[in-house]
mmCIF file of all heavy atoms in Angstrom:
data_model
loop_
_atom_site.group_PDB
_atom_site.id
_atom_site.type_symbol
_atom_site.label_atom_id
_atom_site.label_comp_id
_atom_site.label_asym_id
_atom_site.label_seq_id
_atom_site.Cartn_x
_atom_site.Cartn_y
_atom_site.Cartn_z
ATOM 1 N N LEU H 111 -21.607 48.778 -40.125
ATOM 2 C CA LEU H 111 -23.024 48.739 -40.361
ATOM 3 C C LEU H 111 -23.689 50.057 -40.032
ATOM 4 O O LEU H 111 -24.897 50.122 -39.937
ATOM 5 C CB LEU H 111 -23.610 47.604 -39.489
ATOM 6 C CG LEU H 111 -23.277 46.174 -39.945
ATOM 7 C CD1 LEU H 111 -23.795 45.145 -38.962
ATOM 8 C CD2 LEU H 111 -23.875 45.880 -41.314
ATOM 9 N N ASP H 112 -22.844 51.109 -39.896
ATOM 10 C CA ASP H 112 -23.415 52.430 -39.558
ATOM 11 C C ASP H 112 -24.574 52.845 -40.482
ATOM 12 O O ASP H 112 -25.605 53.301 -40.048
ATOM 13 C CB ASP H 112 -22.338 53.517 -39.703
ATOM 14 C CG ASP H 112 -21.269 53.374 -38.620
ATOM 15 O OD1 ASP H 112 -21.498 52.522 -37.726
ATOM 16 O OD2 ASP H 112 -20.227 54.082 -38.727
ATOM 17 N N GLY H 113 -24.368 52.620 -41.779
ATOM 18 C CA GLY H 113 -25.376 53.049 -42.770
ATOM 19 C C GLY H 113 -26.703 52.358 -42.466
ATOM 20 O O GLY H 113 -27.741 53.020 -42.427
ATOM 21 N N TYR H 114 -26.640 51.048 -42.241
ATOM 22 C CA TYR H 114 -27.865 50.279 -41.990
ATOM 23 C C TYR H 114 -28.515 50.686 -40.657
ATOM 24 O O TYR H 114 -29.703 50.868 -40.585
ATOM 25 C CB TYR H 114 -27.572 48.736 -42.000
ATOM 26 C CG TYR H 114 -27.244 48.299 -43.384
ATOM 27 C CD1 TYR H 114 -25.942 48.343 -43.864
ATOM 28 C CD2 TYR H 114 -28.222 47.844 -44.228
ATOM 29 C CE1 TYR H 114 -25.638 47.927 -45.155
ATOM 30 C CE2 TYR H 114 -27.989 47.428 -45.515
ATOM 31 C CZ TYR H 114 -26.654 47.456 -45.989
ATOM 32 O OH TYR H 114 -26.372 47.074 -47.242
ATOM 33 N N ARG H 115 -27.648 50.918 -39.635
ATOM 34 C CA ARG H 115 -28.200 51.326 -38.354
ATOM 35 C C ARG H 115 -28.969 52.641 -38.481
ATOM 36 O O ARG H 115 -30.114 52.789 -38.058
ATOM 37 C CB ARG H 115 -27.064 51.454 -37.331
ATOM 38 C CG ARG H 115 -27.200 50.383 -36.212
ATOM 39 C CD ARG H 115 -26.011 50.450 -35.250
ATOM 40 N NE ARG H 115 -25.166 49.299 -35.476
ATOM 41 C CZ ARG H 115 -23.862 49.348 -35.632
ATOM 42 N NH1 ARG H 115 -23.219 50.545 -35.634
ATOM 43 N NH2 ARG H 115 -23.140 48.243 -35.839
ATOM 44 N N THR H 116 -28.270 53.606 -39.111
ATOM 45 C CA THR H 116 -28.927 54.929 -39.248
ATOM 46 C C THR H 116 -30.226 54.824 -40.055
ATOM 47 O O THR H 116 -31.259 55.393 -39.733
ATOM 48 C CB THR H 116 -27.981 55.932 -39.896
ATOM 49 O OG1 THR H 116 -26.736 55.825 -39.263
ATOM 50 C CG2 THR H 116 -28.475 57.371 -39.780
ATOM 51 N N PHE H 117 -30.088 54.050 -41.131
ATOM 52 C CA PHE H 117 -31.261 53.910 -42.047
ATOM 53 C C PHE H 117 -32.466 53.343 -41.279
ATOM 54 O O PHE H 117 -33.569 53.860 -41.321
ATOM 55 C CB PHE H 117 -30.912 53.057 -43.228
ATOM 56 C CG PHE H 117 -32.076 52.663 -44.070
ATOM 57 C CD1 PHE H 117 -32.687 53.638 -44.900
ATOM 58 C CD2 PHE H 117 -32.687 51.425 -44.039
ATOM 59 C CE1 PHE H 117 -33.794 53.330 -45.673
ATOM 60 C CE2 PHE H 117 -33.781 51.068 -44.805
ATOM 61 C CZ PHE H 117 -34.339 52.052 -45.608
ATOM 62 N N LEU H 118 -32.184 52.258 -40.531
ATOM 63 C CA LEU H 118 -33.294 51.597 -39.812
ATOM 64 C C LEU H 118 -33.859 52.432 -38.688
ATOM 65 O O LEU H 118 -35.054 52.305 -38.339
ATOM 66 C CB LEU H 118 -32.834 50.226 -39.283
ATOM 67 C CG LEU H 118 -32.611 49.173 -40.401
ATOM 68 C CD1 LEU H 118 -32.003 47.906 -39.819
ATOM 69 C CD2 LEU H 118 -33.885 48.854 -41.147
ATOM 70 N N SER H 119 -33.032 53.376 -38.179
ATOM 71 C CA SER H 119 -33.603 54.219 -37.114
ATOM 72 C C SER H 119 -34.329 55.441 -37.735
ATOM 73 O O SER H 119 -35.172 56.028 -37.117
ATOM 74 C CB SER H 119 -32.555 54.658 -36.124
ATOM 75 O OG SER H 119 -31.584 55.456 -36.796
ATOM 76 N N ALA H 120 -33.945 55.781 -38.976
ATOM 77 C CA ALA H 120 -34.529 56.938 -39.575
ATOM 78 C C ALA H 120 -35.887 56.684 -40.217
ATOM 79 O O ALA H 120 -36.717 57.510 -40.299
ATOM 80 C CB ALA H 120 -33.602 57.590 -40.657
ATOM 81 N N LEU H 121 -36.039 55.450 -40.634
ATOM 82 C CA LEU H 121 -37.264 55.055 -41.380
ATOM 83 C C LEU H 121 -37.914 53.808 -40.741
ATOM 84 O O LEU H 121 -37.142 52.912 -40.324
ATOM 85 C CB LEU H 121 -36.939 54.689 -42.814
ATOM 86 C CG LEU H 121 -36.942 55.728 -43.908
ATOM 87 C CD1 LEU H 121 -36.849 55.059 -45.251
ATOM 88 C CD2 LEU H 121 -38.300 56.554 -43.862
ATOM 89 N N PRO H 122 -39.223 53.785 -40.648
ATOM 90 C CA PRO H 122 -39.831 52.532 -40.155
ATOM 91 C C PRO H 122 -39.815 51.498 -41.351
ATOM 92 O O PRO H 122 -40.847 51.201 -41.957
ATOM 93 C CB PRO H 122 -41.261 52.950 -39.857
ATOM 94 C CG PRO H 122 -41.543 54.171 -40.624
ATOM 95 C CD PRO H 122 -40.221 54.817 -40.920
ATOM 96 N N PHE H 123 -38.616 50.979 -41.562
ATOM 97 C CA PHE H 123 -38.433 50.184 -42.816
ATOM 98 C C PHE H 123 -39.372 49.021 -42.929
ATOM 99 O O PHE H 123 -39.977 48.814 -43.991
ATOM 100 C CB PHE H 123 -36.977 49.642 -42.849
ATOM 101 C CG PHE H 123 -36.734 48.657 -43.960
ATOM 102 C CD1 PHE H 123 -36.643 49.089 -45.287
ATOM 103 C CD2 PHE H 123 -36.615 47.296 -43.711
ATOM 104 C CE1 PHE H 123 -36.473 48.185 -46.294
ATOM 105 C CE2 PHE H 123 -36.471 46.384 -44.752
ATOM 106 C CZ PHE H 123 -36.358 46.809 -46.026
ATOM 107 N N TRP H 124 -39.563 48.282 -41.852
ATOM 108 C CA TRP H 124 -40.443 47.058 -41.967
ATOM 109 C C TRP H 124 -41.870 47.465 -42.260
ATOM 110 O O TRP H 124 -42.558 46.799 -43.025
ATOM 111 C CB TRP H 124 -40.329 46.212 -40.701
ATOM 112 C CG TRP H 124 -38.941 45.774 -40.454
ATOM 113 C CD1 TRP H 124 -38.063 46.197 -39.518
ATOM 114 C CD2 TRP H 124 -38.223 44.841 -41.266
ATOM 115 N NE1 TRP H 124 -36.862 45.621 -39.658
ATOM 116 C CE2 TRP H 124 -36.921 44.774 -40.752
ATOM 117 C CE3 TRP H 124 -38.525 44.068 -42.392
ATOM 118 C CZ2 TRP H 124 -35.910 43.952 -41.274
ATOM 119 C CZ3 TRP H 124 -37.552 43.260 -42.930
ATOM 120 C CH2 TRP H 124 -36.266 43.215 -42.348
ATOM 121 N N ARG H 125 -42.288 48.606 -41.678
ATOM 122 C CA ARG H 125 -43.631 49.084 -41.996
ATOM 123 C C ARG H 125 -43.710 49.424 -43.474
ATOM 124 O O ARG H 125 -44.691 49.061 -44.128
ATOM 125 C CB ARG H 125 -43.845 50.319 -41.103
ATOM 126 C CG ARG H 125 -45.184 50.991 -41.329
ATOM 127 C CD ARG H 125 -46.315 50.210 -40.728
ATOM 128 N NE ARG H 125 -47.618 50.763 -41.177
ATOM 129 C CZ ARG H 125 -48.499 51.307 -40.369
ATOM 130 N NH1 ARG H 125 -48.258 51.388 -39.106
ATOM 131 N NH2 ARG H 125 -49.627 51.748 -40.878
#
Side-chain angles (χ1 to χ4, degrees):
Chain H
L111 290 173
D112 291 352
Y114 290 88
R115 244 175 253 130
T116 314
F117 172 75
L118 289 174
S119 65
L121 268 190
F123 172 74
W124 300 108
R125 176 75 191 244

